[in-house]
Amino acid sequence: MPRLALYSLAVCVLAVVAAVLSFVQGSWLGILWVLMAGLSSNMCWYYLKRRRVTR
């Protein structure tokens, strides 16, 4: 797995956890964490697909 894909996957997992905790506490700030998770998951897919194409 490419290093950047692994980093973006870790950011995605942490953002999802932060979003869940934020919503449980009743904060609407979780919406930003959901957006961050979506962006980082797209980055993860991009780096994985780019590696497959370059092989």
Side-chain angles (χ1 to χ4, degrees):
M1 183 175 242
R3 184 175 295 162
L4 288 174
L6 188 61
Y7 289 156
S8 61
L9 181 63
V11 169
C12 180
V13 169
L14 290 174
V16 167
V17 170
V20 168
L21 290 176
S22 183
F23 283 129
V24 165
Q25 292 177 353
S27 174
W28 287 98
L29 193 63
I31 293 172
L32 295 176
W33 288 114
V34 169
L35 293 174
M36 178 72 80
L39 177 69
S40 61
S41 70
N42 286 340
M43 288 173 57
C44 182
W45 280 114
Y46 171 76
Y47 288 124
L48 287 175
K49 286 183 181 183
R50 190 175 84 172
R51 182 174 186 214
R52 285 187 208 148
V53 168
T54 57
R55 276 188 164 188

